[in-house]
């Protein structure tokens, strides 16, 4: 009886360990990357998203909001790798950028970044956003954009972007969603609001599944409008441009022989009289195969 109790207790301990390990593996490799369904403060969150000045390439469809700041590498990577897939699934990607506030007396944003954020919130210029994100942050000077520092109106816009993010993160934290960037908010096909602090790439597949978006997008071909031209190839001529000029033959320099000119279209090259006559090659005598010779009981060929 004592042995039975010992083996029973050991089996229970092993079973609990296996169950605990399985649950930890499920949570660590799958569950913790799933988006969170927002069950609280949905109306307040939607109001903030509607009032924010987002920028978008357009396209219509179900909106998806990406909230982030310029120096967030995860935000830039998510938009670069996932935006095209989501648009292929019928999603309108809307980007909301903000300038981070100072922390412990240290500025977390530059003057050029604050000026660009203010301009984007005021103009919602998608082309400006593309130029900004395509330029390395240290090289961006915000040339031609009014400065936000020292301008009460534009400084208020920068502060409004920070207030928007602070209120939004408070509402999401109250709904059980951690703070992280990029912060992605959308509604699934059933209309439920979902949110994801998608700093880890393992969370991105769940968003694509909600929209039945493809896992990969084929690159644009050269025949499609707007397709980039590979380096080394001439681009298409603009409407109204002049044709490529026909240049005269360049005379050879002193002591040099002029290179042969290619045949003109519609001609056969040199005249028949000036062509050198060629004679067919005559076959030579057939080669004889080697004959065996006998040398000291050995046959050599």
């Amino acid at each position: 009886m004592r042995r039975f109790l010992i083996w029973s207790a050991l089996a229970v301990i092993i079973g609990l360990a296996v169950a605990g390990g399985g649950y930890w593996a499920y949570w660590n490799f799958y569950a913790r990357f799933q988006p969170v369904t927002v069950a609280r403060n949905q109306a307040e969150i939607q109001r903030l998203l509607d009032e924010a000045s987002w920028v978008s390439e357009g396209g219509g469809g179900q909106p998806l909001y990406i909230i982030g700041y310029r120096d967030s590498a995860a935000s830039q990577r998510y938009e670069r790798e996932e935006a095209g897939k989501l648009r292929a699934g019928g999603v309108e990607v809307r980007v909301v950028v903000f300038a981070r506030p100072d922390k412990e007396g240290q500025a977390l944003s530059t003057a050029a970044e604050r000026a660009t954020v203010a301009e984007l919130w005021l103009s919602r210029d998608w082309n400006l956003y593309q130029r900004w994100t395509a330029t390395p942050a240290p090289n961006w000077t915000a040339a031609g954009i009014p400065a936000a520092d020292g301008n009460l109106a534009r400084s208020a816009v920068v502060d409004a972007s920070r207030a928007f993010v602070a209120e939004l993160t408070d509402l999401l934290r109250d709904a059980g969603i951690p703070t992280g960037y990029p912060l992605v908010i959308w509604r699934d096909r059933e209309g439920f609001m979902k949110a994801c602090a998608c700093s880890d790439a393992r969370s991105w597949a769940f968003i694509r599944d909600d929209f039945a978006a493809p896992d990969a997008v084929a690159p644009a071909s050269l025949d499609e409008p707007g397709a980039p031209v590979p380096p080394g190839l001439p681009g298409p001529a603009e409407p109204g441009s002049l044709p490529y000029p026909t240049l005269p033959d360049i005379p050879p320099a002193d002591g040099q022989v002029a290179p042969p000119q290619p045949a003109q279209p519609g001609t056969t090259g040199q005249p028949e009289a000036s062509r050198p006559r060629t004679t067919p090659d005559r076959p030579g005598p057939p080669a004889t195969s080697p004959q065996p010779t006998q040398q000291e009981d050995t046959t050599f060929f």
Side-chain angles (χ1 to χ4, degrees), residues 128-152:
L128 172 61
Y129 177 75
Q130 284 187 310
R131 295 197 308 271
W132 185 33
T133 54
T135 305
N139 300 339
W140 180 259
T141 60
I145 300 176
D149 299 345
N151 187 315
L152 290 177

Side-chain angles (χ1 to χ4, degrees), residues 7 9 68 98 106 111 132 140 156 164 175 193 209 217 221 226 238 240 271:
W7 282 105
F98 68 98
Q106 181 181 4
W132 185 33
W140 180 259
F164 159 79
M193 178 181 289
D209 292 342
V217 178
S221 63
E238 297 181 357

